[in-house]
Amino acid sequence: MQRADDILREIFGFDCFRPGQEEIVHAVAAGENVLAIMPTGGGKSLCFQLPALLRDGVTVVISPLIALMRDQVRALQEAGVAAGALTSGNTGEENDAVFAALNEGRLKLLYMAPERLASGAAAAMLRRAGVSLIAVDEAHCVSQWGHDFRPDYLRIGELRRALRVPLAAFTATADAETRTEIVEKLFDGGTPRVFLRGFDRPNIHLAFAAKDGPRQQILRFADARRGQSGIVYCGTRAKTETLADALEVDGHNACAYHGGMEPADRRAVEDRFAREDGLIVVATVAFGMGVDKPDIRWVAHADLPKSIEAYYQEIGRAGRDGAPAETLTLFGADDIRLRRTQIDESPAAPERRAADHARLNALLGLAEALGCRRRMLLRYFGETAEPCGYCDLCDTPPETFDGTQAVRKALSAILRTGEWFGTGHLTDILTGNATEKVRARGHDALPTFGVGGEFDRRGWQAVFRQMMGHDLVRPDPERHGALRLTDAALPILRDAATIDLRRDTIRAAGRRPDTPRALVSDEDAPLLAALKARRRDLAETARMPAYMVFTDRTLIEMAETRPADLDAMARISGVGAKKLDRYGAEFLAVINGAADIPHPARRKLAGQGAGDLYDRLLAVQTDLARGACGTLKPMSCPAPLLARVAQLRPGDAGTLERLLGDRRAERFGPAFLDVLQGAG
């Protein structure tokens, strides 16, 4: 039997393993269930390719990307390894050749897309082929919390049980929550051997910059690296084409890539990028995961990525050969508005949207960092590090100032308006802009009205952006993005802590007279997004264009005027009698908030005496959510637990404590008992 060292040298041409590879290779070859988290460029593929050659039978590799499978199969075949792939991109002759190799027992690695597992015949075919190991690449795709979720990945655990073979899962990006979900979905909650090989890519230089003429910023960045292969990521398909054209005009070899292109055109770009030196691909995130190109020297983001995980994965496509590589990420208020809207318009559950907002906040924190970016990035993934000396903030420390007073003013404005408004309305209050909305709500009489003269409107927007980055405030999805304080803000509000802010990004914000005008104000944008999401759901159900429900103009007026009842809704332009009857209540529910819609646990109590008791307990809980003093960490009881209390009506503190638990009993117990005993 060949040794791993011999195969490493003879087949793959390496004299030694990269750090962390050898132990994983031996564990996979020995038939252990393995979960390996390794940085992009750390050599994940070798950790299942080499064991496949040490083991009897066939190793099936589940991968989500046709281009990546094609590249790896081609490289293995060039190295003399019998490998094949079954993908939707195959010709009939290619499929016949793969099946012939399987039937004759010649194939060692078979690559498959997860979609093929949907066929009931897949498991039987793999069993006949003698599969002895399943390798899963990009294992984070199994996580429904991740940005690359692939539903077909959920079938892999079923395949493992059907074949009764070990499974090795690999990914370059998986936080603790995602790792837990991978174990649950792929290993049935068992205990695979976990290898966490670190997230640091010390050869990659990290840099962020506030947008200030972003096209010219990208052109300057590319010009300084003329002749090097690079990727520019954009938030929209249209931008990929216009920016690729601008690079071409500037003398670069560049092309666009996005999901709206014909498959043959995308394939041509992938082939060019793999083949040509110095090509720049301007792309949406659809590009890069499937390109096994080691010498990408730089990655730029013309728009802010969706999350810190997406950012890490996308910059990880640079410098896979270990040589120095550079990154630049541009960000601005328009990016935050876009990403917030994408999250709020998502059909995902509220808890998923809240988690996505938190992930975006983490990325904003990295963008507005005051110290070493690598240190902050690694801390997010649970690692500690010293300042790297190889990021823009280590190169040139940013100018900062004591922003405590400014942040305290902003926090006070949030609290004095009941945590019901977004940055636009709050900025109007701080700068003394007595809009109709400010006057209608009496906010021009607040002590915080006009106290923020040290910054202009864009300056305050930058302050709020930094506050979100420091996780002092978060948008509340149930209040359409209104800012709410986090626990981290309370010490600053109480004058028990200070905070430094970056002055350079505030100045950059103040220099931007060309900021695109939004459809609605900042505070109305989340509600408009929610209204559009509801319109989309109704249109899809009815199988008709969205504008036939309501036009954008009608939804904008709804977002701005926020009608409270059907009479007010009837006065909105574009809402006729028929549409009012058909859709009025649906859109009023969105405008007036989820709080007006009873929780399912409450609806089950309808018509019972416990229903009224539930409502009184809920009112008490709301009053004490931050404690009697109003400054404690927010706390609540899940609706099913509150319903159980209402049904059981415990009559003493001990029984109630057993239901609620110590912490909730301490906060709510006495007040709940008063309600319960009063109900007699």
Side-chain angles (χ1 to χ4, degrees):
M1 180 178 175
Q2 280 188 294
R3 295 171 53 234
D5 290 345
D6 295 333
I7 295 178
L8 180 68
R9 182 171 53 256
E10 294 171 11
I11 302 296
F12 296 97
F14 301 125
D15 291 329
C16 61
F17 289 101
R18 294 185 188 181
Q21 282 184 322
E22 186 171 11
E23 192 176 7
I24 298 173
V25 165
H26 287 304
V28 175
E32 297 185 54
N33 287 320
V34 167
L35 170 58
I37 294 93
M38 305 172 69
T40 302
K44 296 191 303 296
S45 58
L46 184 135
C47 291
F48 56 79
Q49 291 172 350
L50 197 157
L53 304 182
L54 288 170
R55 295 175 57 84
D56 294 331
V58 179
T59 292
V60 61
V61 182
I62 309 297
S63 174
L65 298 152
I66 292 176
L68 182 61
M69 289 189 279
R70 185 176 64 245
D71 289 347
Q72 291 196 4
V73 167
R74 184 187 303 138
L76 287 166
Q77 290 174 343
E78 288 293 322
V81 176
L86 293 174
T87 77
S88 59
N90 283 13
T91 64
E93 292 77 10
E94 288 172 333
N95 283 336
D96 290 343
V98 172
F99 284 122
L102 280 173
N103 292 334
E104 296 168 12
R106 293 186 285 109
L107 212 62
K108 290 300 295 179
L109 287 110
L110 173 65
Y111 283 76
M112 293 177 60
E115 289 76 13
R116 283 209 167 241
L117 302 182
S119 167
M125 181 268 289
L126 295 174
R127 189 180 294 110
R128 288 194 304 271
V131 169
S132 63
L133 172 69
I134 299 172
V136 182
D137 201 9
E138 308 293 347
H140 63 275
C141 293
V142 78
S143 172
Q144 297 183 67
W145 291 92
H147 60 281
D148 290 321
F149 172 58
R150 300 282 286 263
D152 292 296
Y153 262 62
L154 299 175
R155 297 189 174 94
I156 297 174
E158 181 181 340
L159 177 66
R160 182 185 68 84
R161 291 190 296 273
L163 298 180
R164 297 182 180 179
V165 297
L167 185 146
F170 299 85
T171 181
T173 173
D175 55 21
E177 186 178 59
T178 303
R179 293 198 295 271
T180 299
E181 194 167 358
I182 291 172
V183 171
E184 177 186 340
K185 299 293 174 55
L186 297 185
F187 300 96
D188 297 326
T191 54
R193 189 171 177 188
V194 178
F195 296 88
L196 186 57
R197 291 307 178 205
F199 293 90
D200 192 13
R201 294 288 305 282
N203 62 312
I204 298 180
H205 185 273
L206 308 178
F208 282 73
K211 286 187 175 180
D212 188 14
R215 179 179 297 188
Q216 288 304 315
Q217 287 174 287
I218 293 294
L219 290 176
R220 288 194 298 269
F221 188 76
D223 188 59
R225 293 149 188 85
R226 190 173 290 272
Q228 298 178 358
S229 296
I231 302 175
V232 181
Y233 286 111
C234 300
T236 64
R237 295 175 178 180
K239 188 179 286 188
T240 66
E241 296 176 354
T242 58
L243 192 49
D245 290 343
L247 285 163
E248 284 273 323
V249 169
D250 204 38
H252 295 277
N253 185 17
C255 57
Y257 182 103
H258 57 73
M261 296 167 58
E262 292 296 325
D265 294 334
R266 293 201 304 271
R267 177 76 172 265
V269 173
E270 293 166 359
D271 289 342
R272 282 187 63 192
F273 194 61
R275 185 178 66 252
E276 296 180 23
D277 290 330
L279 181 66
I280 300 172
V281 174
V282 187
T284 57
V285 293
F287 183 79
M289 286 179 66
V291 178
D292 196 13
K293 185 177 176 67
D295 59 347
I296 300 170
R297 294 273 63 86
W298 57 271
V299 170
H301 285 90
D303 300 299
L304 192 72
K306 291 182 178 180
S307 68
I308 201 164
E309 288 89 352
Y311 166 77
Y312 176 81
Q313 189 175 68
E314 288 153 18
I315 65 167
R317 290 158 194 163
R320 296 179 62 157
D321 55 2
E326 296 178 276
T327 68
L328 172 66
T329 302
L330 302 181
F331 66 99
D334 51 341
D335 295 296
I336 299 174
R337 183 162 50 248
L338 171 67
R339 295 307 185 195
R340 296 289 187 213
T341 299
Q342 288 174 334
I343 294 171
D344 289 330
E345 289 189 341
S346 165
E351 60 270 18
R352 164 68 186 272
R353 293 198 297 270
D356 287 342
H357 277 300
R359 286 181 167 89
L360 178 58
N361 283 348
L363 182 59
L364 295 175
L366 185 64
E368 299 279 11
L370 303 179
C372 175
R373 293 197 196 276
R374 192 179 316 277
R375 191 177 191 180
M376 176 174 280
L377 178 63
L378 294 177
R379 185 164 60 238
Y380 177 83
F381 289 110
E383 298 183 16
T384 58
E386 295 300 315
C388 68
Y390 193 55
C391 70
D392 59 336
L393 297 182
C394 285
D395 295 340
T396 307
E399 181 185 354
T400 63
F401 69 100
D402 184 349
T404 307
Q405 290 300 322
V407 169
R408 195 172 293 145
K409 291 175 183 178
L411 294 174
S412 178
I414 293 171
L415 281 180
R416 290 179 184 278
T417 54
E419 297 177 298
W420 273 105
F421 297 92
T423 57
H425 187 76
L426 295 167
T427 298
D428 285 334
I429 293 171
L430 290 165
T431 57
N433 182 21
T435 65
E436 182 179 347
K437 186 177 291 186
V438 169
R439 293 194 304 273
R441 288 160 175 78
H443 292 164
D444 53 338
L446 292 174
T448 48
F449 183 78
V451 300
E454 64 267 44
F455 302 121
D456 62 10
R457 185 174 188 83
R458 291 190 180 91
W460 274 111
Q461 294 292 325
V463 170
F464 278 113
R465 190 179 65 234
Q466 292 192 56
M467 290 169 63
M468 286 188 284
H470 286 282
D471 202 24
L472 303 179
V473 293
R474 288 183 183 176
D476 184 344
E478 293 189 1
R479 297 187 178 191
H480 307 300
L483 295 183
R484 300 197 70 172
L485 273 62
T486 67
D487 291 342
L490 298 180
I492 297 174
L493 193 63
R494 297 169 182 158
D495 201 16
T498 61
I499 184 171
D500 289 338
L501 298 180
R502 290 184 59 174
R503 192 181 298 280
D504 55 336
T505 58
I506 291 177
R507 286 174 176 164
R511 289 198 305 266
R512 294 197 62 219
D514 57 341
T515 301
R517 183 177 179 181
L519 290 176
V520 293
S521 63
D522 286 346
E523 66 267 25
D524 291 334
L527 176 55
L528 178 61
L531 292 169
K532 285 184 176 180
R534 189 71 190 111
R535 179 181 66 176
R536 181 195 61 218
D537 292 341
L538 291 168
E540 288 178 354
T541 300
R543 297 184 179 180
M544 64 183 184
Y547 72 83
M548 293 183 69
V549 178
F550 287 128
T551 65
D552 279 356
R553 183 175 179 178
T554 298
L555 295 188
I556 289 169
E557 188 174 343
M558 287 184 194
E560 290 178 337
T561 62
R562 303 190 181 219
D565 51 37
L566 288 174
D567 289 335
M569 177 72 81
R571 292 193 287 272
I572 299 291
S573 175
V575 181
K578 189 172 182 179
K579 288 190 176 182
L580 181 67
D581 180 58
R582 182 177 296 176
Y583 304 122
E586 296 272 5
F587 285 85
L588 279 176
V590 175
I591 295 166
N592 293 327
D596 295 331
I597 303 173
H599 189 279
R602 171 62 179 87
R603 292 202 296 269
K604 289 180 181 178
L605 302 180
Q608 306 174 30
D612 180 61
L613 192 54
Y614 176 101
D615 294 338
R616 281 182 278 164
L617 291 170
L618 182 62
V620 167
Q621 174 183 275
T622 301
D623 290 341
L624 295 175
R626 286 185 175 269
C629 62
T631 59
L632 299 181
K633 179 179 179 180
M635 183 184 297
S636 64
C637 300
L641 176 59
L642 211 60
R644 184 167 173 76
V645 173
Q647 288 174 310
L648 296 179
R649 301 191 183 198
D652 60 270
T655 305
L656 183 60
E657 183 175 337
R658 285 192 292 274
L659 278 173
L660 298 179
D662 295 340
R663 293 175 59 249
R664 289 191 177 99
E666 181 180 358
R667 176 75 59 88
F668 304 118
F672 278 10
L673 278 177
D674 287 344
V675 172
L676 294 166
Q677 291 168 356

